[in-house]
Amino acid sequence: AIEGHVLALGALSVKLGRVDLLGRHGYVVTADFPSVSGLKAGSPVEIAGVEVGQVDAVKLVDDQARVVMTIRSGITLQDDSIASIKTKGLIGEKYIRINPGGSEKIIAPNGRITEVEPPVDFEELLSKYIFGKV
């Protein structure tokens, strides 16, 4: 009987939204990048330096890297928000930084952030600087 209740609770949480291990609810959004350069599942999603979610998965879709992330309930994203892949420190972990937009339209659950900035390729920049390639 207990297994049945746990299963029913699990099914209900899938219908209503994502629930992480700490019991916080959230909703899923995606963003497509030309490259993710080391971003992986479990990486944080931040707004103004505050963690508001996490990356659930990174997969290849139509030659682009699709990042699937869960955003905590109560956090709204305007449809003109910009998602960027950043690095903590010079060689630290990758994370998603979201710069909120000014639109009155909100991204719905299972929606998509369309404005993205790919990560800076430091190797390419260093190569251009050292070898003078343009």
Side-chain angles (χ1 to χ4, degrees):
I2 292 175
E3 293 89 13
H5 291 297
V6 170
L7 256 153
L9 183 60
L12 181 63
S13 70
V14 168
K15 286 183 182 178
L16 296 178
R18 297 274 174 112
V19 179
D20 67 18
L21 294 177
L22 299 175
R24 295 178 299 211
H25 294 275
Y27 62 99
V28 174
V29 295
T30 62
D32 292 346
F33 292 88
S35 169
V36 290
S37 184
L39 184 78
K40 54 189 169 207
S43 296
V45 177
E46 297 181 358
I47 296 176
V50 177
E51 190 169 331
V52 296
Q54 75 173 21
V55 173
D56 293 329
V58 179
K59 49 191 168 184
L60 188 65
V61 176
D62 298 328
D63 296 326
Q64 296 255 337
R66 176 156 298 161
V67 177
V68 180
M69 57 197 115
T70 297
I71 306 298
R72 272 197 318 242
S73 293
I75 304 293
T76 56
L77 302 177
Q78 293 83 3
D79 70 352
D80 60 345
S81 294
I82 301 170
S84 309
I85 298 174
K86 300 295 182 184
T87 305
K88 293 192 181 214
L90 280 177
I91 55 173
E93 70 171 326
K94 303 285 185 187
Y95 70 100
I96 298 279
R97 181 176 72 193
I98 297 177
N99 290 329
S103 174
E104 292 182 10
K105 294 181 183 176
I106 301 299
I107 297 174
N110 300 312
R112 197 167 135 234
I113 299 173
T114 57
E115 300 292 326
V116 298
E117 291 179 351
V120 174
D121 187 341
F122 287 109
E123 289 178 13
E124 185 179 325
L125 285 176
L126 191 58
S127 175
K128 285 180 183 180
Y129 178 76
I130 292 173
F131 300 111
K133 294 180 181 176
V134 178

